[in-house]
Amino acid sequence: MKVVLLIAAAMGVSAAQAEELRFVTCPIYRDTDAGKKSGCWLADAHETGNRYDVSKAPSKPDWNHAVLVEGVVASRTTEDACGGVVLDPVRTSILPADCPRHMLEAEGFPGRKFVLPRRNVSPLSAARAPIPGPFAARTFRVFYDFDQSFLVYQYDDYLFDAAVAWLRAAKPRAIKVVGWAATDSVAISGMDFAEHADIAKERAEKIAESLARMGFDKSIISVEWHGGAKPVIDPDIDGLVEPSRRRVDIVATL
Amino acid sequence: MKRLSLYGGSLLAAVILFGGVSLTASIGQRPKAAATTNYWWAPGSGQTFPASADFPNASGTLRVLLDGGPMATKGHPFFTALSPSGRACVTCHQPSDSMSLSAETAQRRWRETNGRDPLFAAYDGSNCPSLPQDRADSHSLLLTRGLIRIQRPWPPRDPIGRNITVDYKIEIVRDPTGCNSGKYGPAAEHPTVSVYRRPRPLANMKYLLAVGFAYDPKQGMPLPLDPETKKPLSGNLMADGRASTLTAQMSDAAGSHLELTRHLTPAQMRQITDFESRVFTAQQRDVSGTALDADGAEGGPMKLFTSRPGQLGSIGKPVWSEFEAWEKPKPGLTREAAAFRASVARGAKIFRDKTFLITDSSGINSPIGFGNPVRNACAFCHNMSQMGNDVAPGQVDLGTTTLPFADPAPDLPLFRITCLGRPHPHYGRVIYTSDPGYALTTGRCADVGKITLQSLRGLAARAPYFANGSAKDLRGLVDYYDRRYHIGYTEQEKQDLVNLMRSL
């Protein structure tokens, strides 16, 4: 399925880049040994017969389970490191449906050496630059895989940590945590997809608990949750539309 | 005694009698310790705990350092038999066994006391209290695997005693000890689940308590906070994470292993915490005659004492780079010593750099986002500089207790776990395990089989390995990993890893 992104125009993204692919498939692992975390993840879109390289997703597939792929063909011509058309940005969500595990040998594809994602949390021992004011009311977001409430390592933890750092500096008088779920049903690869409504609550409550663990007074944190999430524009969803529905908004009031 | 730094400028030295053998304890310089043949520290012995003591083992010599110098143990709650059975903390956390307990020590103690040592207390030093206590086979799990019975409440309870909602059902498939059926077990009037685990070493604690990052990537949440100090908790203390602070661990142990009916006093807890925070252990000398801190190497406990804990090896000091100096051969060594050093150095590199496909292991392949499979090396999880435990809370399922990966263990109970909500990410809806591990603390099916990563120091002194003692020696440990992850180590690589680990 292709989703034409009207929002993309507002972000300065060309039409060619703005075709967001969404499909469900069984993932394929290609064992290219370019060192640690170097293996490739491939996904065949049955509708088109195209094979895509989805290795750049923040959370990777599980070869035992189907995966929902959401991504855009990379705008820059890149080396075919894995044996598929590179999707970047891309998100992959592990689904409950079982898949036969399938692994390919390297077959001459070099894979990619692991590079630390730009969204990574520094150790506590590292000095942090102070966040300068003045501060104004602001909303932070974290985004989720389909039907999940888990903060993905080296993506969501970074987004949440950035929010925490700002909130600590800005000292808001109130923090509203709003959980969203993409409950509107949509057909993808011949199947109807809608998130469970409960996941919005689960997302919101986990973020509220996470804020409390980071030292924020529970009395200033309010929590609400909703289905029927609409897309948002946010730099940290990298221009993807559908995944932007699956989120929590952290709304700071000064 | 005034507390002095082991690496400061003072040169105070003292000679201490320890188990009838003279020890030289040096404070303020690199200690010169003499080996002792006294393997057993009896509760209430009143000995002075030395600043440094060496203990022989099959691989060489373990060294135990006490920061701050010698400590009188008379009346000290760690060394005093507070238990009605005559046990003390030291009973299962012996200095000679790197502050843990080896199966060999348990066997020796059985022979020497005809099974009357408090170590073999019915409550948890036997397979089940209902068994005849004078028979060795009633203590077979302790004698053969070094296992202590851990009786967990069912359903699990949170730190303030409230029942936790559990998303799985537990049934007994096999109960060879009798401690999960009848008056015991999850169907009993007072429901419990008995599992059997190795005592974890109470040493090098600053590493196990260190917090490197604010988040637990395996739970997708910030670290939980210590209810007393409000500081984040490392999550690396207990096999199943049931206690996250030393005081919580002490309370748990006092009420179970020591069978105390009263709480430890705050003063006793402070004394025990102080002692545990000052003990450092590591192998110091190999049986081949090589000092593990010779010629630029940095083995032994002194490096542990002087280093800052909680550092990720991948962005700082690489894990086991203590043996980097041995990558280059040194002229003049005996052939045996040269071969050993080269092997240890290779083992360190294999540990860090030889990658393999890690598959179907929750805590690694799910739910963090690394993918299943993910290619990486031993140091992926054993990632803390100097120590080799996980900088993040280390709850990982290697399969050592759970089918189909676990080795056959007819002497252990077998539980059938049925996930009531979402299935387990790798095992599916129904799981067979001899120890649900972390799931006995969290109540979550997704946590079945997860066991907190073990400390890797002082290994040579405390076989067998893994939480259920399923690897009888270091080669068995390497062989398990080789089978589990289809690594394909060569014989040389296996020996190099064994030599590395016996040097830690």
Side-chain angles (χ1 to χ4, degrees):
Chain A
M1 174 181 177
K2 296 179 179 179
V3 179
V4 178
L5 306 184
L6 299 176
I7 288 171
M11 300 179 65
V13 180
S14 72
Q17 291 172 286
E19 290 183 329
E20 183 170 304
L21 304 175
R22 293 186 97 194
F23 60 93
V24 175
T25 190
C26 285
I28 301 164
Y29 183 76
R30 185 186 288 286
D31 189 22
T32 55
D33 186 4
K36 297 165 185 173
K37 301 188 201 171
S38 65
C40 293
W41 283 103
L42 301 169
D44 291 343
H46 302 155
E47 296 88 338
T48 62
N50 291 335
R51 171 164 289 183
Y52 293 99
D53 173 0
V54 299
S55 310
K56 295 196 174 183
S59 62
K60 313 290 191 263
D62 180 331
W63 63 2
N64 295 319
H65 292 284
V67 66
L68 168 64
V69 176
E70 299 162 299
V72 175
V73 173
S75 56
R76 287 181 299 170
T77 304
T78 55
E79 180 197 7
D80 187 5
C82 295
V85 177
V86 177
L87 296 186
D88 186 20
V90 62
R91 302 290 184 270
T92 56
S93 300
I94 297 168
L95 303 174
D98 293 338
C99 279
R101 59 170 63 177
H102 185 38
M103 183 170 77
L104 297 174
E105 298 299 317
E107 296 176 318
F109 292 100
R112 298 183 189 87
K113 284 197 175 298
F114 172 73
V115 177
L116 188 66
R118 67 183 172 88
R119 295 182 178 110
N120 70 88
V121 175
S122 300
L124 289 168
S125 57
R128 293 184 174 223
I131 297 175
F135 302 101
R138 187 170 169 185
T139 297
F140 292 86
R141 297 187 180 95
V142 290
F143 301 97
Y144 296 88
D145 287 349
F146 183 85
D147 241 3
Q148 297 295 324
S149 61
F150 186 87
L151 294 181
V152 171
Y153 179 58
Q154 292 182 339
Y155 176 53
D156 285 311
D157 56 353
Y158 173 84
L159 303 184
F160 180 78
D161 195 64
V164 165
W166 189 92
L167 292 167
R168 282 176 173 163
K171 297 184 172 49
R173 62 183 169 82
I175 302 172
K176 184 167 69 173
V177 178
V178 186
W180 292 98
T183 51
D184 295 340
S185 184
V186 57
I188 305 172
S189 298
M191 291 176 275
D192 289 333
F193 270 79
E195 288 196 300
H196 292 91
D198 291 350
I199 204 71
K201 180 181 183 220
E202 198 173 306
R203 287 168 179 164
E205 289 180 340
K206 280 193 176 182
I207 290 296
E209 170 61 19
S210 296
L211 287 167
R213 288 186 181 187
M214 297 304 276
F216 294 96
D217 190 336
K218 284 185 176 177
S219 68
I220 70 164
I221 302 171
S222 62
V223 180
E224 57 185 71
W225 52 89
H226 307 283
K230 305 300 180 195
V232 293
I233 297 170
D234 188 295
D236 286 315
I237 197 65
D238 302 323
L240 295 175
V241 174
E242 293 303 323
S244 77
R245 299 177 194 265
R246 307 188 298 261
R247 68 182 190 274
V248 162
D249 298 337
I250 304 170
V251 184
T253 305
L254 302 181
Chain B
M1 166 164 197
K2 185 180 176 185
R3 185 168 171 173
L4 297 169
S5 167
L6 276 165
Y7 59 101
S10 172
L11 293 173
L12 175 62
V15 177
I16 299 158
L17 278 177
F18 181 59
V21 178
S22 178
L23 290 180
T24 301
S26 305
I27 306 167
Q29 63 180 17
R30 179 160 294 204
K32 297 171 185 172
T36 175
T37 54
N38 190 2
Y39 78 101
W40 185 255
W41 189 302
S45 68
Q47 302 166 83
T48 295
F49 200 100
S52 175
D54 284 2
F55 298 91
N57 53 54
S59 295
T61 306
L62 177 89
R63 179 162 293 174
V64 180
L65 297 182
L66 184 64
D67 176 21
M71 186 187 81
T73 66
K74 187 173 182 184
H76 191 290
F78 190 93
F79 300 91
T80 300
L82 303 175
S83 161
S85 68
R87 265 203 197 156
C89 306
V90 73
T91 303
C92 295
H93 299 282
Q94 289 284 327
S96 62
D97 291 0
S98 196
M99 302 304 291
S100 175
L101 182 76
S102 70
E104 182 185 359
T105 292
Q107 291 162 16
R108 190 169 168 187
R109 203 65 194 147
W110 179 272
R111 289 194 303 270
E112 291 178 359
T113 67
N114 202 21
R116 293 193 178 89
D117 192 281
L119 171 63
F120 304 104
Y123 177 77
D124 59 358
S126 74
N127 299 355
C128 193
S130 58
L131 299 171
Q133 294 298 306
D134 58 343
R135 293 171 48 173
D137 58 4
S138 299
H139 306 266
S140 60
L141 292 176
L142 175 53
L143 292 170
T144 60
R145 292 173 175 261
L147 300 179
I148 295 291
R149 188 175 73 96
I150 310 292
Q151 182 174 286
R152 299 301 318 277
W154 185 257
R157 294 180 191 145
D158 69 12
I160 57 172
R162 296 174 301 192
N163 284 355
I164 287 175
T165 303
V166 179
D167 72 355
Y168 61 89
K169 181 174 71 173
I170 188 166
E171 299 168 283
I172 311 304
V173 176
R174 184 177 71 221
D175 184 23
T177 66
C179 245
N180 281 297
S181 51
K183 64 181 283 196
Y184 301 97
E189 183 181 355
H190 301 290
T192 58
V193 174
S194 284
V195 292
Y196 299 84
R197 299 188 186 134
R198 299 278 295 117
R200 295 169 79 90
L202 285 174
N204 311 317
M205 298 306 293
K206 70 178 182 181
Y207 293 88
L208 300 178
L209 295 169
V211 173
F213 293 84
Y215 300 92
D216 179 352
K218 299 179 184 69
Q219 296 298 323
M221 296 277 285
L223 295 173
L225 303 179
D226 182 336
E228 292 177 18
T229 66
K230 306 300 180 191
K231 292 183 176 174
L233 295 162
S234 71
N236 277 325
L237 275 187
M238 310 280 286
D240 57 11
R242 68 185 181 276
S244 295
T245 66
L246 287 178
T247 51
Q249 184 274 330
M250 267 177 248
S251 295
D252 179 85
S256 56
H257 306 311
L258 296 183
E259 300 178 79
L260 299 188
T261 53
R262 290 184 303 175
H263 292 296
L264 292 169
T265 67
Q268 287 174 322
M269 286 195 173
R270 279 195 300 275
Q271 274 185 288
I272 295 173
T273 300
D274 171 72
F275 169 70
E276 291 177 346
S277 302
R278 294 194 283 132
V279 180
F280 295 88
T281 65
Q283 195 79 345
Q284 179 65 32
R285 195 169 190 86
D286 187 73
V287 71
S288 65
T290 297
L292 296 168
D293 55 0
D295 298 319
E298 296 176 305
M302 180 59 78
K303 181 70 177 175
L304 283 167
F305 170 69
T306 57
S307 298
R308 192 173 69 168
Q311 306 302 302
L312 198 57
S314 60
I315 59 175
K317 187 83 173 162
V319 174
W320 311 141
S321 57
E322 285 84 352
F323 302 105
E324 191 177 351
W326 288 354
E327 290 175 15
K328 294 179 182 173
K330 181 178 185 291
L333 292 175
T334 66
R335 197 167 155 183
E336 184 187 14
F340 173 74
R341 290 184 182 193
S343 177
V344 171
R346 285 195 304 270
K349 293 186 83 165
I350 294 165
F351 192 96
R352 286 193 301 271
D353 298 332
K354 184 176 175 76
T355 64
F356 50 92
L357 286 182
I358 302 167
T359 58
D360 303 322
S361 296
S362 60
I364 306 175
N365 300 110
S366 66
I368 303 176
F370 292 135
N372 182 28
V374 61
R375 177 168 283 286
N376 222 299
C378 304
F380 188 30
C381 297
H382 296 281
N383 52 45
M384 190 185 288
S385 303
Q386 289 92 35
M387 189 68 170
N389 60 307
D390 197 341
V391 171
Q395 287 77 43
V396 162
D397 172 30
L398 299 176
T400 52
T401 63
T402 303
L403 300 178
F405 305 115
D407 293 334
D411 50 343
L412 290 174
L414 187 66
F415 306 98
R416 177 169 48 239
I417 305 287
T418 305
C419 302
L420 302 175
R422 293 186 183 207
H424 186 280
H426 306 294
Y427 294 120
R429 183 74 61 188
V430 178
I431 308 167
Y432 291 87
T433 181
S434 63
D435 185 348
Y438 193 43
L440 287 177
T441 298
T442 66
R444 290 192 298 254
C445 195
D447 293 328
V448 170
K450 286 182 181 173
I451 303 281
T452 308
L453 260 69
Q454 304 280 333
S455 165
L456 292 186
R457 289 299 195 150
L459 287 169
R462 52 185 179 88
Y465 308 106
F466 293 131
N468 61 357
S470 56
K472 67 180 172 55
D473 53 26
L474 291 171
R475 176 57 185 256
L477 185 153
V478 173
D479 284 341
Y480 177 80
Y481 277 99
D482 196 46
R483 284 196 304 275
R484 170 68 181 84
Y485 295 114
H486 308 285
I487 301 173
Y489 287 133
T490 65
E491 278 302 306
Q492 184 65 63
E493 287 173 327
K494 288 182 179 181
Q495 189 57 54
D496 292 343
L497 283 168
V498 167
N499 285 340
L500 167 73
M501 287 191 283
R502 84 186 208 195
S503 302
L504 301 176

